[in-house]
Amino acid sequence: MSVTLTDQDKLTLRTAAYGAVSLLAAAGAAGSPHRIATEGSIALASATGPVGHVLAAKSRDIKLNGKSVAELADHVLPALTAAMSLLNKQDPAEADNFRNTVNVAVEAATRTHQGRPSPTVAEMIRKITGALDAASAANGGALPKVAAGQDRPELQKVIQEIVDSGFTGVSLRVHDERGEWVGSAGVGKLGQSAEPPVNGHVRIGSNTKTFTATVVLQLVGEGKIGLDDPVDDYLPEFGLDRRITVRMLLQHTSGVFNFTGEYYDDGTVVPGIVWSGQEWVDNRFRTYRPEELVRLALSKPARFEPGTDWSYSNTNYVLARLLIEKVTGRSLAEEMRRLILGPLGLSGTVVPDTSPELPEPHAHAYYRYGEAGREETVDVTRQNPSWISTGGDMISTTQDLHTFISALVGGRLLPAELLAEMCTPEPKAGYGLGVFVQETACGGTVITHNGGIAGHGALMYSTPDGSRTLTAALNYVDDVTMSLAEAFQKATRRLVDEVFCGGQAGSAQ
């Protein structure tokens, strides 16, 4: 597809791209406006294709000097949306090229900051990202299916195979030495033909644990929490075993009962709260408070003595949430915005607490159950996620998950010593502090966490250096037997094999 741009169109593109960098400079990123403008401009000048040719002529007709931050924002943000809209109409691949180029420039400009961007800069990043995304949402809620210059039929084939195995839809994003690839397969809603949006919002389930662990470790870095302190020192109201440390919460070695139920090796099941079947469907807008979930868990016998074994327990991360809120005096959502979402510009990521809403665009999630001898399938996209709380309530996008995991392993969120602690796995399950550290079938290592919650799933993988990432969103019909659980595991193995092993380990799965 060819791109034909008028002189006014070219001015819009240049104003939008260089204006975004100027906006960050004016807002005070890194405390050095000249350096920010230089770093950002170098990144913009590396653009390729028609967009690259347009941005190469940056200095002739842009008049952005002398404007205040507010004036720049009023001028630049509409230009960003307009630039995306005009490119989307002519060539979606070039729209994606432009969007990626601006994001790279923003990252380059803020990377010079020693520490974290100021709240003003973080807000500007969110607004820039939002302006870029607004045109994508208006264009059917999807970014181009394949990024500029990329032809990856092997990836499209894999996600189609996942849909064929029973999933409603899949959206995949891969970043590697060949650049970025995004694609989708299946449908976003039963009964319709449109594919899932490739950057739609999705309930990310237990990926929430990685975000939460990161906040805890950032507070450790700030000296507000001791990693090996007894949790009881911070949350005495629960009467926790004083042998349970903060580290044990993050690593699932506390032994505290899992409030969603415990499943023992001998087949014994000790139920917790109701989170499946018709009873859950009928009560899916009920509000649970985190303290309620913790007290339910503590009313049950511990699974083992603290520090003597490993067992995955959502209760650990609800306690981590309460710990964060106790030591900071602020909500988890506020701390998440201060420490992660704001600095990284994650405009598509939400800490919902009790809100049932899922921002547009999004694929739909479903739950199936039997009633009076017949099968019922219910759209459960809207639900109150307080039943899982910090065990898995967050919402994000594949783009935001990529940005988060690559920034995390790249050392942008944690000091080196705490990142090393996070990525040091205990031996039984290979779980670090909020992440799994896994070996691939071809001998490499990935840092990962995945999650599923009532018809939505999210995958997040990265090499330890952040040079290659895989993020994905899945939508499906869930049920009480979790009949797609095995297919979910096979799908993740198939994707990891293809992305991190070039498909060469497929026979080993």
Side-chain angles (χ1 to χ4, degrees):
M1 199 180 287
S2 61
V3 177
T4 303
L5 300 171
T6 66
D7 288 343
Q8 182 58 48
D9 291 339
K10 293 175 182 177
L11 176 58
T12 297
L13 261 64
R14 287 194 288 270
T15 299
Y18 287 95
V21 173
S22 299
L23 189 53
L24 291 176
S32 174
H34 177 72
R35 185 174 182 184
I36 297 157
T38 301
E39 297 288 340
S41 295
I42 290 172
L44 292 175
S46 66
T48 59
V51 163
H53 290 298
V54 171
L55 298 185
K58 65 179 183 294
S59 60
R60 290 183 303 192
D61 44 18
I62 308 175
K63 296 178 175 62
L64 297 172
N65 293 333
K67 296 181 183 292
S68 67
V69 172
E71 289 172 329
L72 271 173
D74 288 343
H75 194 61
V76 170
L77 297 175
L80 283 164
T81 300
M84 285 291 291
S85 296
L86 70 90
L87 288 173
N88 263 321
K89 290 176 183 176
Q90 296 200 45
D91 188 345
E94 277 303 310
D96 196 43
N97 186 18
F98 178 79
R99 182 180 186 278
N100 291 338
T101 298
V102 173
N103 281 335
V104 168
V106 167
E107 182 177 350
T110 56
R111 192 167 51 228
T112 64
H113 194 268
Q114 298 303 310
R116 300 186 182 93
S118 69
T120 302
V121 172
E123 179 65 19
M124 287 301 105
I125 293 171
R126 283 196 294 273
K127 288 182 176 180
I128 289 167
T129 306
L132 291 168
D133 288 345
S136 296
N139 191 44
L143 295 173
K145 187 169 182 179
V146 180
Q150 296 270 354
D151 184 16
R152 307 285 290 270
E154 73 283 2
L155 297 178
Q156 189 66 43
K157 179 174 182 288
V158 172
I159 60 176
Q160 185 59 53
E161 288 173 353
I162 294 171
V163 169
D164 293 343
S165 74
F167 288 85
T168 310
V170 181
S171 300
L172 173 66
R173 182 178 302 270
V174 173
H175 285 251
D176 59 17
E177 66 279 358
R178 294 174 60 182
E180 178 189 64
W181 186 90
V182 290
S184 62
V187 297
K189 186 175 185 180
L190 291 178
Q192 297 187 3
S193 59
E195 293 182 352
V198 295
N199 200 42
H201 295 85
V202 63
R203 297 189 188 278
I204 64 173
S206 286
N207 287 290
T208 302
K209 294 181 174 72
T210 310
F211 282 86
T212 305
T214 302
V215 171
V216 171
L217 291 172
Q218 287 171 315
L219 294 174
V220 170
E222 291 180 358
K224 294 177 181 175
I225 295 174
L227 189 55
D228 293 304
D229 287 352
V231 180
D232 186 60
D233 285 353
Y234 303 98
L235 300 171
E237 63 270 30
F238 294 112
L240 290 165
D241 188 320
R242 284 194 55 79
R243 292 173 294 175
I244 296 173
T245 65
V246 174
R247 182 191 299 275
M248 290 178 190
L249 296 185
L250 302 186
Q251 199 153 44
H252 294 300
T253 56
S254 72
V256 172
F257 182 89
N258 184 1
F259 66 81
T260 51
E262 287 285 8
Y263 300 79
Y264 292 88
D265 294 340
D266 63 2
T268 303
V269 177
V270 181
I273 64 165
V274 175
W275 58 278
S276 64
Q278 183 181 351
E279 185 178 353
W280 173 77
V281 171
D282 292 344
N283 293 282
R284 66 188 183 277
F285 297 107
R286 171 182 170 177
T287 292
Y288 290 87
R289 295 315 307 162
E291 296 85 356
E292 179 183 359
L293 300 174
V294 169
R295 293 194 186 282
L296 182 149
L298 296 178
S299 72
K300 309 284 187 178
R303 184 160 183 143
F304 49 78
E305 296 289 307
T308 64
D309 203 347
W310 183 91
S311 184
Y312 196 84
S313 174
N314 291 304
T315 311
N316 289 318
Y317 276 80
V318 179
L319 282 165
R321 168 189 175 170
L322 294 172
L323 172 64
I324 291 166
E325 294 179 340
K326 176 63 74 72
V327 301
T328 65
R330 293 182 289 271
S331 70
L332 174 67
E334 290 174 306
E335 282 300 279
M336 198 74 75
R337 284 192 292 270
R338 178 177 77 90
L339 295 169
I340 299 177
L341 309 187
L344 295 182
L346 303 185
S347 61
T349 301
V350 179
V351 182
D353 193 25
T354 63
S355 172
E357 305 303 328
L358 186 64
E360 294 283 358
H362 59 74
H364 287 248
Y366 299 91
Y367 195 88
R368 178 175 55 226
Y369 64 91
E371 179 187 19
R374 68 179 187 276
E375 196 171 79
E376 297 285 345
T377 298
V378 179
D379 188 323
V380 294
T381 307
R382 293 183 71 254
Q383 59 170 280
N384 182 336
S386 64
W387 66 269
I388 190 63
S389 186
T390 336
D393 64 354
M394 285 179 66
I395 295 163
S396 193
T397 66
T398 59
Q399 176 63 57
D400 275 10
L401 290 177
H402 155 73
T403 301
F404 169 64
I405 190 65
S406 58
L408 178 61
V409 299
R412 292 178 57 197
L413 293 174
L414 295 174
E417 63 275 13
L418 288 177
L419 180 60
E421 295 268 18
M422 182 182 227
C423 296
T424 300
E426 59 75 47
K428 183 173 182 179
Y431 201 88
L433 306 180
V435 293
F436 284 95
V437 182
Q438 297 179 344
E439 296 301 309
T440 64
C442 55
T445 300
V446 288
I447 308 300
T448 178
H449 216 303
N450 298 326
I453 173 173
H456 271 154
L459 312 180
M460 182 173 67
Y461 288 86
S462 177
T463 51
D465 63 357
S467 63
R468 182 176 302 194
T469 66
L470 178 168
T471 54
L474 301 92
N475 52 306
Y476 53 98
V477 180
D478 202 0
D479 56 32
V480 69
T481 64
M482 295 187 291
S483 57
L484 279 176
E486 184 177 353
F488 192 99
Q489 296 302 319
K490 287 182 177 178
T492 58
R493 289 197 300 269
R494 181 74 177 88
L495 283 168
V496 170
D497 169 30
E498 188 61 56
V499 173
F500 295 95
C501 297
Q504 298 175 7
S507 61
Q509 302 302 319

